[in-house]
Amino acid sequence: MEKLIEQMKVVLADSFVMYTKAHGYHWNVEGKLFPMLHDFLGDIYAEVYGSIDSTGEQIRQIQGRAIHSLLEFDKYRTIPDAPITVPTDNTGMLTDLFSANQLILASLMKAYEMANANNEDGLSNYLQDRIMAHKKHAWMLRSTLNKAGE
Ligand SMILES: [Fe+2]
């Protein structure tokens, strides 16, 4: 159970980092595609932000301590922080966010396998939902990137 709690902290930290990254790109995106990308990135950050509270609560339900300091998020995250110099092209931003999404998917899959091994069925269901949400983000980011160079 202790390993599952630790992995859930990774999921929480990755969710927070992906949220801040998507929100920052929502603010800083520029160019002809601004209206579409600003809204698209807005949808992603809102969806990921909406999961953070329930992920923290899931940690409490398995009797772990929900991390909440920026230093702890930095310690547990697998997603690299956003670059200080924001990518100047949309493809750079979207590629970075796609990579972040792949990393959080890997963290979620690991937590899901551990939840199954611990017979934590409710948590398994929750993680399945998060995996599906991030697979949808992967599809949309990948499809947007396919058109970004046109
Ligand atoms: Fe906004």
Side-chain angles (χ1 to χ4, degrees):
M1 186 61 93
E2 205 48 50
K3 282 186 176 170
L4 172 59
I5 291 168
E6 286 299 288
Q7 186 58 28
M8 284 302 294
K9 291 178 185 178
V10 173
V11 169
L12 184 57
D14 277 348
S15 303
F16 198 80
V17 174
M18 178 154 176
Y19 153 68
T20 57
K21 191 170 273 206
H23 206 151
Y25 291 162
H26 162 86
W27 287 330
N28 287 301
V29 67
E30 290 189 334
K32 276 185 285 189
L33 295 176
F34 174 88
M36 184 276 284
L37 290 176
H38 180 71
D39 288 352
F40 175 55
L41 293 163
D43 289 346
I44 293 179
Y45 88 66
E47 196 286 325
V48 177
Y49 181 75
S51 76
I52 288 173
D53 180 55
S54 35
T55 297
E57 291 182 358
Q58 288 290 331
I59 294 175
R60 295 297 298 139
Q61 286 173 41
I62 55 172
Q63 299 185 49
R65 190 184 64 84
I67 58 169
H68 56 84
S69 83
L70 294 179
L71 283 176
E72 280 180 302
F73 286 142
D74 191 47
K75 176 184 157 198
Y76 279 94
R77 68 186 167 83
T78 70
I79 299 173
D81 204 355
I84 300 293
T85 306
V86 175
T88 50
D89 62 309
N90 296 334
T91 304
M93 281 188 195
L94 295 170
T95 303
D96 186 49
L97 202 55
F98 180 80
S99 303
N101 194 62
Q102 293 299 102
L103 289 170
I104 195 171
L105 265 171
S107 298
L108 283 161
M109 290 298 297
K110 208 168 159 186
Y112 175 66
E113 283 161 20
M114 289 177 175
N116 282 343
N118 282 276
N119 296 315
E120 287 289 342
D121 296 342
L123 180 55
S124 293
N125 287 343
Y126 176 72
L127 290 166
Q128 251 180 350
D129 288 347
R130 294 310 308 150
I131 288 165
M132 291 309 292
H134 283 280
K135 283 192 171 174
K136 188 171 180 182
H137 294 320
W139 158 52
M140 290 189 167
L141 284 163
R142 195 171 52 237
S143 298
T144 307
L145 272 167
N146 285 342
K147 295 283 179 196
E150 292 181 5

